[in-house]
Amino acid sequence: MDIETIVNFSLLILLALTVVVLIRMKSLLAIALSSGVYSFLSAGLFVAMDAVDVAFTEAAVGAGITTILLLGTIAITGREQTVSKHKRFLPIAVITITGAALIYGTLDMPLYGDANAPIHTHVAPHYLTQSSEEIGIPNVVTSVLASYRGYDTLGEVAVIFTAAVGVLLLLGKTAKRGRPKQ
Amino acid sequence: MITGYFNYWVVIILMMMGFYIVISDSNLIKKIIGLNIFQTSVFILFISMSKVKGGTAPILIAEADVYSNPLPHVLILTAIVVGVSTSALGLAIIARIHRAYGTVDETVIHEQDDLQDEN
């Protein structure tokens, strides 16, 4: 086993352990912080898998902004989780069946790192060989994001705008007028 | 064989643990965290598919000739930002629910609703 595989394996195992710990926790503050740890570990995994742009977006946006939003919400709603009894059997049965079906599905997938997988033979070679001529910047991810698939990014901006409007409508001053009286 | 599928299987385990939090936990904030875990596991699945053995990050340099696939990276960059937007909206709805009901626990909210229906 080479060093790349070992790093990959240990980060994946750490991710799984973080989620196991997170499921068992009761304090919401600790849960929010361990979800930040989970995001940082996945950012590390993205670096190990050559996705550097994804890694720093995940570290800044996933681990940073999401954790801040979670902490802000917890500051409003209180940090202790009310413990309630509920049935465990049904959720475990559901995830076992779904997980087994998905694992059966992976058996048809190309092996990890396979250079001849269908995903690598369609449009990606064009981006890798032509983008420095057509767009003129060395980072292919940026060329695709801002130029070849610029409309996707425009749509993404529309999504952020809609979410921001939604948050402002839900939490802004006008929302107080419609508050139900208890 | 194991190294070829290990990423996918761990991704599915993470995905199912996130799903478990969403369907089994009654705390709404924890449900959003479960959703985030589910989301990130999908990101790892996509990035796993983009990796080429012996490749390097898709930034064109003279010394390298094998690069990982840049397309899934772009899709996931968009997905990360969209994911944060949806969790922000979800958390805002939770803050609003807390303003109206004084709790973020699903079972307590249902009890309050049932009481109101009876009155």
Side-chain angles (χ1 to χ4, degrees):
Chain A
M1 254 200 255
D2 54 328
I3 186 82
E4 227 174 280
T5 321
I6 295 168
V7 169
N8 189 16
F9 275 29
S10 34
L11 280 171
L12 283 167
I13 289 164
L14 276 175
L15 275 169
L17 286 178
T18 314
V19 183
V20 169
V21 170
L22 196 146
I23 289 177
R24 302 178 66 87
M25 277 180 181
K26 287 282 167 257
S27 155
L28 280 177
L29 198 61
I31 291 169
L33 292 176
S34 34
S35 92
V37 171
Y38 175 84
S39 282
F40 265 120
L41 283 173
S42 60
L45 189 61
F46 292 147
V47 175
M49 294 193 291
D50 299 340
V52 281
D53 302 79
V54 181
F56 67 65
T57 311
E58 176 67 31
V61 178
I65 297 179
T66 308
T67 310
I68 290 170
L69 288 173
L70 281 170
L71 291 178
T73 316
I74 289 167
I76 295 172
T77 60
R79 67 169 71 166
E80 282 313 310
Q81 192 182 357
T82 41
V83 188
S84 54
K85 282 180 197 160
H86 38 96
K87 283 164 274 177
R88 287 258 167 88
F89 174 73
L90 191 63
I92 288 179
V94 168
I95 64 161
T96 313
I97 294 166
T98 320
L102 287 172
I103 285 181
Y104 175 68
T106 59
L107 298 179
D108 272 346
M109 286 184 63
L111 292 178
Y112 175 73
D114 181 5
N116 298 316
I119 183 176
H120 302 308
T121 54
H122 185 51
V123 72
H126 176 87
Y127 291 153
L128 287 170
T129 52
Q130 305 298 316
S131 74
S132 74
E133 227 174 88
E134 290 175 352
I135 314 292
I137 31 178
N139 190 336
V140 186
V141 176
T142 312
S143 315
V144 179
L145 186 79
S147 193
Y148 292 111
R149 284 181 168 263
Y151 279 117
D152 279 12
T153 311
L154 186 67
E156 177 190 337
V157 175
V159 170
I160 301 168
F161 177 73
T162 316
V165 169
V167 170
L168 287 176
L169 285 175
L170 280 165
L171 297 179
K173 278 188 176 167
T174 46
K176 275 184 187 155
R177 263 186 269 141
R179 182 179 178 178
K181 291 191 179 85
Q182 293 286 328
Chain B
M1 153 95 186
I2 294 290
T3 51
Y5 289 118
F6 190 75
N7 275 46
Y8 305 141
W9 291 345
V10 175
V11 160
I12 288 166
I13 291 168
L14 292 173
M15 208 184 270
M16 288 306 115
M17 287 199 284
F19 189 33
Y20 175 77
I21 297 176
V22 174
I23 58 178
S24 78
D25 212 283
S26 62
N27 189 295
L28 295 176
I29 295 178
K30 208 169 169 187
K31 270 181 198 287
I32 294 279
I33 292 174
L35 211 57
N36 280 337
I37 290 170
F38 192 104
Q39 232 165 23
T40 313
S41 75
V42 177
F43 301 162
I44 298 172
L45 178 72
F46 267 68
I47 301 297
S48 302
M49 288 193 280
S50 79
K51 171 76 179 156
V52 176
K53 217 172 184 66
T56 180
I59 297 169
L60 304 171
I61 44 168
E63 294 84 46
D65 52 348
V66 183
Y67 300 102
S68 289
N69 193 331
L71 194 57
H73 299 185
V74 177
L75 300 178
I76 296 311
L77 275 180
T78 310
I80 289 175
V81 177
V82 170
V84 170
S85 305
T86 50
S87 22
L89 198 61
L91 289 171
I93 294 172
I94 290 172
R96 192 78 181 80
I97 288 172
H98 183 261
R99 208 188 270 169
Y101 287 87
T103 178
V104 289
D105 195 280
E106 207 182 32
T107 41
V108 183
I109 291 168
H110 284 311
E111 280 165 17
Q112 284 191 19
D113 275 349
D114 291 343
L115 271 177
Q116 230 168 19
D117 287 345
E118 280 166 27
N119 292 336

